Every structure is written in C-alpha cells, then in structure tokens.
Amino acid sequence: PKWNSFPPTSGRHYYQPLPFGLYTDVVQEIRLVHNLEHGAVILQYGDKVPAAQVQQINAWYQKDANALVVSPLPKLGDKVALTSWTNWTECTGFNEKAANAFRKAFRYHAPEQFPKSFLQPGQ
C-alpha cells in the first residue's frame, strides 16, 4: 500500500496486529500500522545506527514496554523513527529524552481504544 509517510503513521493495514515486543528482524509495515491503530508507539532504527545505540534502545524498551514495538528498518540508515497514530518524528541516532517525550505524548491515543492490559509485550 501507499502511505502518507515513511514509516507509515496511519492508513491501510493487515487485519491482525503484530504482537507487541522487541524485534531483531525487520517486521512488515502493514502489520505495524494496525498496532498504531490500537495506541502503540513504534520505534524503528536504520542499519547504520551504532550497536551501542541499539543497546540503548533495547534498554529504553525494557523500562516501559507496554504498547511498544521496536524493530530494525534498514532504509532509515543512521536515523531512528518514532511513530504513533498520525504522528511521526525522526532523529539522527537514538535520543532517549525525545523518545520518552514522544511516548508520553502519543502512546494510547488512537481510534481503537483498548485497556492498557491488552497492550502488553507478546499480545
């Protein structure tokens, strides 16, 4: 499908969301858009983001993993993108302060509202 941004923030999506979690392989954007519709924040990082920063991203995820998906997206290069339903930001490298602010502002804000307990890792 064609979306209004890269990575997408809304639009056409697969009927089933991806289980929330921390992924080391690239995941399908069409499935992630469904997670966004449920109130997720998605953090994706390019293939030129240093390994030390990927470790920082993983640690950030572990601190508060509810309604989050983290995965690589090689086409981002040295950038890290954060998306939520109709919201997007991008940084060169990982900025924990910016990631925290984005998560605080946009997580759980989406057209399909679910209890936070339904948005746990693995669900």
Side-chain angles (χ1 to χ4, degrees):
K2 294 185 180 190
W3 291 292
N4 63 347
S5 64
F6 179 78
T9 64
S10 62
R12 192 167 166 213
H13 55 275
Y14 193 63
Y15 75 96
Q16 186 176 21
L18 191 71
F20 292 98
L22 178 65
Y23 293 84
T24 56
D25 293 321
V26 176
V27 297
Q28 296 176 315
E29 296 298 313
I30 198 165
R31 291 198 64 192
L32 289 175
V33 174
H34 200 153
N35 290 73
L36 297 175
E37 188 179 34
H38 290 185
V41 166
I42 311 291
L43 185 150
Q44 294 172 289
Y45 56 91
D47 60 357
K48 295 190 178 18
V49 172
Q53 287 188 12
V54 173
Q55 289 175 347
Q56 290 173 347
I57 291 167
N58 294 345
W60 172 82
Y61 168 85
Q62 296 296 334
K63 290 176 191 174
D64 186 359
N66 199 52
L68 292 178
V69 176
V70 171
S71 73
L73 183 57
K75 291 181 183 179
L76 288 172
D78 65 349
K79 297 187 182 346
V80 172
L82 287 147
T83 54
S84 68
W85 188 256
T86 71
N87 298 287
W88 167 83
T89 193
E90 195 172 270
C91 301
T92 301
F94 178 65
N95 180 317
E96 186 168 358
K97 186 176 178 181
N100 286 337
F102 190 92
R103 179 175 57 193
K104 183 178 180 182
F106 300 116
R107 183 169 52 172
Y108 309 125
H109 300 283
E112 290 188 10
Q113 297 292 314
F114 284 87
K116 293 176 184 177
S117 62
F118 284 42
L119 308 174
Q120 295 291 324
Q123 296 182 335

mmCIF file with all atom_site columns, all heavy atoms in Angstrom, residues 55-70:
data_model
loop_
_atom_site.group_PDB
_atom_site.id
_atom_site.type_symbol
_atom_site.label_atom_id
_atom_site.label_alt_id
_atom_site.label_comp_id
_atom_site.label_asym_id
_atom_site.label_entity_id
_atom_site.label_seq_id
_atom_site.pdbx_PDB_ins_code
_atom_site.Cartn_x
_atom_site.Cartn_y
_atom_site.Cartn_z
_atom_site.occupancy
_atom_site.B_iso_or_equiv
_atom_site.pdbx_formal_charge
_atom_site.auth_seq_id
_atom_site.auth_comp_id
_atom_site.auth_asym_id
_atom_site.auth_atom_id
_atom_site.pdbx_PDB_model_num
ATOM 1   N N   . GLN A 1 55 ? 21.654 -0.980 21.696 1.00 0.00 ? 55 GLN A N   1
ATOM 2   C CA  . GLN A 1 55 ? 21.580 -1.467 23.078 1.00 0.00 ? 55 GLN A CA  1
ATOM 3   C C   . GLN A 1 55 ? 20.842 -0.464 23.963 1.00 0.00 ? 55 GLN A C   1
ATOM 4   O O   . GLN A 1 55 ? 20.055 -0.858 24.830 1.00 0.00 ? 55 GLN A O   1
ATOM 5   C CB  . GLN A 1 55 ? 22.977 -1.738 23.622 1.00 0.00 ? 55 GLN A CB  1
ATOM 6   C CG  . GLN A 1 55 ? 23.637 -2.947 23.001 1.00 0.00 ? 55 GLN A CG  1
ATOM 7   C CD  . GLN A 1 55 ? 25.075 -3.146 23.468 1.00 0.00 ? 55 GLN A CD  1
ATOM 8   O OE1 . GLN A 1 55 ? 25.676 -2.277 24.074 1.00 0.00 ? 55 GLN A OE1 1
ATOM 9   N NE2 . GLN A 1 55 ? 25.613 -4.317 23.163 1.00 0.00 ? 55 GLN A NE2 1
ATOM 10  N N   . GLN A 1 56 ? 21.060 0.831  23.733 1.00 0.00 ? 56 GLN A N   1
ATOM 11  C CA  . GLN A 1 56 ? 20.340 1.868  24.487 1.00 0.00 ? 56 GLN A CA  1
ATOM 12  C C   . GLN A 1 56 ? 18.837 1.810  24.173 1.00 0.00 ? 56 GLN A C   1
ATOM 13  O O   . GLN A 1 56 ? 18.006 1.965  25.067 1.00 0.00 ? 56 GLN A O   1
ATOM 14  C CB  . GLN A 1 56 ? 20.877 3.259  24.158 1.00 0.00 ? 56 GLN A CB  1
ATOM 15  C CG  . GLN A 1 56 ? 22.258 3.527  24.695 1.00 0.00 ? 56 GLN A CG  1
ATOM 16  C CD  . GLN A 1 56 ? 22.818 4.868  24.195 1.00 0.00 ? 56 GLN A CD  1
ATOM 17  O OE1 . GLN A 1 56 ? 22.290 5.481  23.274 1.00 0.00 ? 56 GLN A OE1 1
ATOM 18  N NE2 . GLN A 1 56 ? 23.897 5.311  24.819 1.00 0.00 ? 56 GLN A NE2 1
ATOM 19  N N   . ILE A 1 57 ? 18.509 1.591  22.906 1.00 0.00 ? 57 ILE A N   1
ATOM 20  C CA  . ILE A 1 57 ? 17.104 1.453  22.503 1.00 0.00 ? 57 ILE A CA  1
ATOM 21  C C   . ILE A 1 57 ? 16.473 0.261  23.218 1.00 0.00 ? 57 ILE A C   1
ATOM 22  O O   . ILE A 1 57 ? 15.364 0.356  23.758 1.00 0.00 ? 57 ILE A O   1
ATOM 23  C CB  . ILE A 1 57 ? 16.986 1.303  20.970 1.00 0.00 ? 57 ILE A CB  1
ATOM 24  C CG1 . ILE A 1 57 ? 17.352 2.620  20.285 1.00 0.00 ? 57 ILE A CG1 1
ATOM 25  C CG2 . ILE A 1 57 ? 15.593 0.829  20.565 1.00 0.00 ? 57 ILE A CG2 1
ATOM 26  C CD1 . ILE A 1 57 ? 17.574 2.502  18.775 1.00 0.00 ? 57 ILE A CD1 1
ATOM 27  N N   . ASN A 1 58 ? 17.178 -0.861 23.238 1.00 0.00 ? 58 ASN A N   1
ATOM 28  C CA  . ASN A 1 58 ? 16.666 -2.066 23.908 1.00 0.00 ? 58 ASN A CA  1
ATOM 29  C C   . ASN A 1 58 ? 16.450 -1.818 25.397 1.00 0.00 ? 58 ASN A C   1
ATOM 30  O O   . ASN A 1 58 ? 15.437 -2.244 25.965 1.00 0.00 ? 58 ASN A O   1
ATOM 31  C CB  . ASN A 1 58 ? 17.603 -3.244 23.684 1.00 0.00 ? 58 ASN A CB  1
ATOM 32  C CG  . ASN A 1 58 ? 17.657 -3.682 22.233 1.00 0.00 ? 58 ASN A CG  1
ATOM 33  O OD1 . ASN A 1 58 ? 16.810 -3.313 21.426 1.00 0.00 ? 58 ASN A OD1 1
ATOM 34  N ND2 . ASN A 1 58 ? 18.668 -4.459 21.895 1.00 0.00 ? 58 ASN A ND2 1
ATOM 35  N N   . ALA A 1 59 ? 17.378 -1.112 26.034 1.00 0.00 ? 59 ALA A N   1
ATOM 36  C CA  . ALA A 1 59 ? 17.239 -0.786 27.459 1.00 0.00 ? 59 ALA A CA  1
ATOM 37  C C   . ALA A 1 59 ? 16.051 0.158  27.674 1.00 0.00 ? 59 ALA A C   1
ATOM 38  O O   . ALA A 1 59 ? 15.294 0.002  28.648 1.00 0.00 ? 59 ALA A O   1
ATOM 39  C CB  . ALA A 1 59 ? 18.529 -0.160 27.979 1.00 0.00 ? 59 ALA A CB  1
ATOM 40  N N   . TRP A 1 60 ? 15.881 1.129  26.769 1.00 0.00 ? 60 TRP A N   1
ATOM 41  C CA  . TRP A 1 60 ? 14.736 2.053  26.847 1.00 0.00 ? 60 TRP A CA  1
ATOM 42  C C   . TRP A 1 60 ? 13.436 1.266  26.765 1.00 0.00 ? 60 TRP A C   1
ATOM 43  O O   . TRP A 1 60 ? 12.519 1.490  27.553 1.00 0.00 ? 60 TRP A O   1
ATOM 44  C CB  . TRP A 1 60 ? 14.841 3.078  25.715 1.00 0.00 ? 60 TRP A CB  1
ATOM 45  C CG  . TRP A 1 60 ? 13.658 3.973  25.559 1.00 0.00 ? 60 TRP A CG  1
ATOM 46  C CD1 . TRP A 1 60 ? 13.394 5.099  26.288 1.00 0.00 ? 60 TRP A CD1 1
ATOM 47  C CD2 . TRP A 1 60 ? 12.572 3.832  24.630 1.00 0.00 ? 60 TRP A CD2 1
ATOM 48  N NE1 . TRP A 1 60 ? 12.212 5.660  25.857 1.00 0.00 ? 60 TRP A NE1 1
ATOM 49  C CE2 . TRP A 1 60 ? 11.691 4.901  24.845 1.00 0.00 ? 60 TRP A CE2 1
ATOM 50  C CE3 . TRP A 1 60 ? 12.276 2.895  23.633 1.00 0.00 ? 60 TRP A CE3 1
ATOM 51  C CZ2 . TRP A 1 60 ? 10.527 5.072  24.101 1.00 0.00 ? 60 TRP A CZ2 1
ATOM 52  C CZ3 . TRP A 1 60 ? 11.117 3.067  22.900 1.00 0.00 ? 60 TRP A CZ3 1
ATOM 53  C CH2 . TRP A 1 60 ? 10.261 4.135  23.134 1.00 0.00 ? 60 TRP A CH2 1
ATOM 54  N N   . TYR A 1 61 ? 13.360 0.337  25.835 1.00 0.00 ? 61 TYR A N   1
ATOM 55  C CA  . TYR A 1 61 ? 12.173 -0.510 25.678 1.00 0.00 ? 61 TYR A CA  1
ATOM 56  C C   . TYR A 1 61 ? 11.885 -1.281 26.969 1.00 0.00 ? 61 TYR A C   1
ATOM 57  O O   . TYR A 1 61 ? 10.740 -1.330 27.433 1.00 0.00 ? 61 TYR A O   1
ATOM 58  C CB  . TYR A 1 61 ? 12.375 -1.478 24.505 1.00 0.00 ? 61 TYR A CB  1
ATOM 59  C CG  . TYR A 1 61 ? 11.339 -2.562 24.465 1.00 0.00 ? 61 TYR A CG  1
ATOM 60  C CD1 . TYR A 1 61 ? 10.110 -2.350 23.843 1.00 0.00 ? 61 TYR A CD1 1
ATOM 61  C CD2 . TYR A 1 61 ? 11.567 -3.798 25.070 1.00 0.00 ? 61 TYR A CD2 1
ATOM 62  C CE1 . TYR A 1 61 ? 9.141  -3.348 23.820 1.00 0.00 ? 61 TYR A CE1 1
ATOM 63  C CE2 . TYR A 1 61 ? 10.606 -4.787 25.046 1.00 0.00 ? 61 TYR A CE2 1
ATOM 64  C CZ  . TYR A 1 61 ? 9.402  -4.561 24.429 1.00 0.00 ? 61 TYR A CZ  1
ATOM 65  O OH  . TYR A 1 61 ? 8.444  -5.538 24.421 1.00 0.00 ? 61 TYR A OH  1
ATOM 66  N N   . GLN A 1 62 ? 12.892 -1.882 27.563 1.00 0.00 ? 62 GLN A N   1
ATOM 67  C CA  . GLN A 1 62 ? 12.717 -2.715 28.756 1.00 0.00 ? 62 GLN A CA  1
ATOM 68  C C   . GLN A 1 62 ? 12.168 -1.923 29.947 1.00 0.00 ? 62 GLN A C   1
ATOM 69  O O   . GLN A 1 62 ? 11.496 -2.487 30.808 1.00 0.00 ? 62 GLN A O   1
ATOM 70  C CB  . GLN A 1 62 ? 14.042 -3.382 29.144 1.00 0.00 ? 62 GLN A CB  1
ATOM 71  C CG  . GLN A 1 62 ? 14.578 -4.361 28.126 1.00 0.00 ? 62 GLN A CG  1
ATOM 72  C CD  . GLN A 1 62 ? 13.688 -5.572 27.915 1.00 0.00 ? 62 GLN A CD  1
ATOM 73  O OE1 . GLN A 1 62 ? 12.927 -5.976 28.780 1.00 0.00 ? 62 GLN A OE1 1
ATOM 74  N NE2 . GLN A 1 62 ? 13.763 -6.147 26.729 1.00 0.00 ? 62 GLN A NE2 1
ATOM 75  N N   . LYS A 1 63 ? 12.437 -0.621 30.002 1.00 0.00 ? 63 LYS A N   1
ATOM 76  C CA  . LYS A 1 63 ? 11.973 0.203  31.127 1.00 0.00 ? 63 LYS A CA  1
ATOM 77  C C   . LYS A 1 63 ? 10.459 0.367  31.152 1.00 0.00 ? 63 LYS A C   1
ATOM 78  O O   . LYS A 1 63 ? 9.879  0.558  32.226 1.00 0.00 ? 63 LYS A O   1
ATOM 79  C CB  . LYS A 1 63 ? 12.619 1.592  31.065 1.00 0.00 ? 63 LYS A CB  1
ATOM 80  C CG  . LYS A 1 63 ? 14.094 1.595  31.368 1.00 0.00 ? 63 LYS A CG  1
ATOM 81  C CD  . LYS A 1 63 ? 14.656 2.991  31.195 1.00 0.00 ? 63 LYS A CD  1
ATOM 82  C CE  . LYS A 1 63 ? 16.163 2.976  31.237 1.00 0.00 ? 63 LYS A CE  1
ATOM 83  N NZ  . LYS A 1 63 ? 16.737 4.305  30.932 1.00 0.00 ? 63 LYS A NZ  1
ATOM 84  N N   . ASP A 1 64 ? 9.820  0.341  29.988 1.00 0.00 ? 64 ASP A N   1
ATOM 85  C CA  . ASP A 1 64 ? 8.376  0.569  29.919 1.00 0.00 ? 64 ASP A CA  1
ATOM 86  C C   . ASP A 1 64 ? 7.874  0.048  28.575 1.00 0.00 ? 64 ASP A C   1
ATOM 87  O O   . ASP A 1 64 ? 7.669  0.800  27.634 1.00 0.00 ? 64 ASP A O   1
ATOM 88  C CB  . ASP A 1 64 ? 8.064  2.062  30.071 1.00 0.00 ? 64 ASP A CB  1
ATOM 89  C CG  . ASP A 1 64 ? 6.584  2.357  30.165 1.00 0.00 ? 64 ASP A CG  1
ATOM 90  O OD1 . ASP A 1 64 ? 5.766  1.414  30.100 1.00 0.00 ? 64 ASP A OD1 1
ATOM 91  O OD2 . ASP A 1 64 ? 6.225  3.545  30.290 1.00 0.00 ? 64 ASP A OD2 1
ATOM 92  N N   . ALA A 1 65 ? 7.665  -1.254 28.489 1.00 0.00 ? 65 ALA A N   1
ATOM 93  C CA  . ALA A 1 65 ? 7.424  -1.924 27.208 1.00 0.00 ? 65 ALA A CA  1
ATOM 94  C C   . ALA A 1 65 ? 5.958  -1.968 26.769 1.00 0.00 ? 65 ALA A C   1
ATOM 95  O O   . ALA A 1 65 ? 5.666  -2.425 25.674 1.00 0.00 ? 65 ALA A O   1
ATOM 96  C CB  . ALA A 1 65 ? 7.968  -3.355 27.275 1.00 0.00 ? 65 ALA A CB  1
ATOM 97  N N   . ASN A 1 66 ? 5.047  -1.502 27.592 1.00 0.00 ? 66 ASN A N   1
ATOM 98  C CA  . ASN A 1 66 ? 3.633  -1.599 27.241 1.00 0.00 ? 66 ASN A CA  1
ATOM 99  C C   . ASN A 1 66 ? 3.314  -0.789 25.987 1.00 0.00 ? 66 ASN A C   1
ATOM 100 O O   . ASN A 1 66 ? 3.727  0.363  25.853 1.00 0.00 ? 66 ASN A O   1
ATOM 101 C CB  . ASN A 1 66 ? 2.769  -1.122 28.408 1.00 0.00 ? 66 ASN A CB  1
ATOM 102 C CG  . ASN A 1 66 ? 1.352  -1.614 28.301 1.00 0.00 ? 66 ASN A CG  1
ATOM 103 O OD1 . ASN A 1 66 ? 1.125  -2.805 28.138 1.00 0.00 ? 66 ASN A OD1 1
ATOM 104 N ND2 . ASN A 1 66 ? 0.411  -0.702 28.367 1.00 0.00 ? 66 ASN A ND2 1
ATOM 105 N N   . ALA A 1 67 ? 2.593  -1.407 25.062 1.00 0.00 ? 67 ALA A N   1
ATOM 106 C CA  . ALA A 1 67 ? 2.138  -0.777 23.808 1.00 0.00 ? 67 ALA A CA  1
ATOM 107 C C   . ALA A 1 67 ? 3.302  -0.281 22.954 1.00 0.00 ? 67 ALA A C   1
ATOM 108 O O   . ALA A 1 67 ? 3.193  0.717  22.259 1.00 0.00 ? 67 ALA A O   1
ATOM 109 C CB  . ALA A 1 67 ? 1.151  0.350  24.077 1.00 0.00 ? 67 ALA A CB  1
ATOM 110 N N   . LEU A 1 68 ? 4.424  -0.991 23.002 1.00 0.00 ? 68 LEU A N   1
ATOM 111 C CA  . LEU A 1 68 ? 5.596  -0.616 22.209 1.00 0.00 ? 68 LEU A CA  1
ATOM 112 C C   . LEU A 1 68 ? 6.015  -1.747 21.286 1.00 0.00 ? 68 LEU A C   1
ATOM 113 O O   . LEU A 1 68 ? 5.918  -2.921 21.645 1.00 0.00 ? 68 LEU A O   1
ATOM 114 C CB  . LEU A 1 68 ? 6.800  -0.293 23.101 1.00 0.00 ? 68 LEU A CB  1
ATOM 115 C CG  . LEU A 1 68 ? 6.738  0.951  23.966 1.00 0.00 ? 68 LEU A CG  1
ATOM 116 C CD1 . LEU A 1 68 ? 8.020  1.049  24.794 1.00 0.00 ? 68 LEU A CD1 1
ATOM 117 C CD2 . LEU A 1 68 ? 6.564  2.191  23.125 1.00 0.00 ? 68 LEU A CD2 1
ATOM 118 N N   . VAL A 1 69 ? 6.496  -1.345 20.119 1.00 0.00 ? 69 VAL A N   1
ATOM 119 C CA  . VAL A 1 69 ? 7.173  -2.263 19.213 1.00 0.00 ? 69 VAL A CA  1
ATOM 120 C C   . VAL A 1 69 ? 8.477  -1.587 18.813 1.00 0.00 ? 69 VAL A C   1
ATOM 121 O O   . VAL A 1 69 ? 8.495  -0.409 18.464 1.00 0.00 ? 69 VAL A O   1
ATOM 122 C CB  . VAL A 1 69 ? 6.345  -2.576 17.943 1.00 0.00 ? 69 VAL A CB  1
ATOM 123 C CG1 . VAL A 1 69 ? 7.142  -3.458 16.984 1.00 0.00 ? 69 VAL A CG1 1
ATOM 124 C CG2 . VAL A 1 69 ? 5.025  -3.227 18.302 1.00 0.00 ? 69 VAL A CG2 1
ATOM 125 N N   . VAL A 1 70 ? 9.570  -2.327 18.899 1.00 0.00 ? 70 VAL A N   1
ATOM 126 C CA  . VAL A 1 70 ? 10.886 -1.859 18.459 1.00 0.00 ? 70 VAL A CA  1
ATOM 127 C C   . VAL A 1 70 ? 11.373 -2.839 17.411 1.00 0.00 ? 70 VAL A C   1
ATOM 128 O O   . VAL A 1 70 ? 11.310 -4.062 17.612 1.00 0.00 ? 70 VAL A O   1
ATOM 129 C CB  . VAL A 1 70 ? 11.887 -1.788 19.634 1.00 0.00 ? 70 VAL A CB  1
ATOM 130 C CG1 . VAL A 1 70 ? 13.297 -1.518 19.144 1.00 0.00 ? 70 VAL A CG1 1
ATOM 131 C CG2 . VAL A 1 70 ? 11.451 -0.732 20.646 1.00 0.00 ? 70 VAL A CG2 1
#
